[in-house]
Amino acid sequence: MKKYFILLTCLILFATSACANGNSSSKVPDTRGLSDMKIKIEITNDSGSHTLTATLADNSSALAFYELLQKGSITVAMHDYGSFEKVGSLPTSLPRNDTQITTESGDIILYQGNQITIYYDTNSWSFTRLGKVDGVTQTELKKILGKGDVTAVFETGGLKWQLQ
């Protein structure tokens, strides 16, 4: 009898944990792998100027990008590619940490070590995640990035971060 009670208890615990891990109708932003490093991005296009903040990823590429920004802001002329991202060239190559990922709106991605992209839709490829734009929906980001070319100024913007 004791064996059946233990078996039944294990089954109930297993079923409860499986239900707790099920899909939810509200999507929670994926913050795995994000650090405490913050940057500011000033987007300028035909519709005006918009200021965004982003949280950088917890990898050597994002750290190298942040250290580069500490030396001064970086202005990148970005154009639309594939109707899912804005892409432009960085002035220098950064270390790569490529993994197969599916991007989401707001992802900031390093491509081939010297291209930076801001995604407003999904794409799957082997990329290096640099970070994620904070607190902007896909609809808002599409409106901010617009249909044509944009200029993006990346900077630390006085946002401080230190190794602990």
Side-chain angles (χ1 to χ4, degrees), residues 21-82:
N21 290 328
N23 288 338
S24 172
S25 60
S26 64
K27 184 163 175 138
V28 176
D30 183 7
T31 57
R32 291 172 294 170
L34 294 180
S35 72
D36 293 330
M37 294 182 289
K38 297 278 191 178
I39 62 169
K40 185 169 79 170
I41 309 166
E42 188 75 29
I43 303 288
T44 306
N45 58 23
D46 291 343
S47 68
S49 183
H50 308 274
T51 302
L52 304 171
T53 59
T55 303
L56 294 183
D58 189 10
N59 62 45
S60 62
S61 305
L63 181 58
F65 184 53
Y66 187 83
E67 288 172 348
L68 185 63
L69 293 178
Q70 285 184 315
K71 297 175 185 173
S73 63
I74 296 174
T75 301
V76 180
M78 303 181 88
H79 64 276
D80 202 72
Y81 179 81

Side-chain angles (χ1 to χ4, degrees), residues 81 138 141 160:
Y81 179 81
Q138 181 178 20
L141 191 57
K160 300 294 182 192

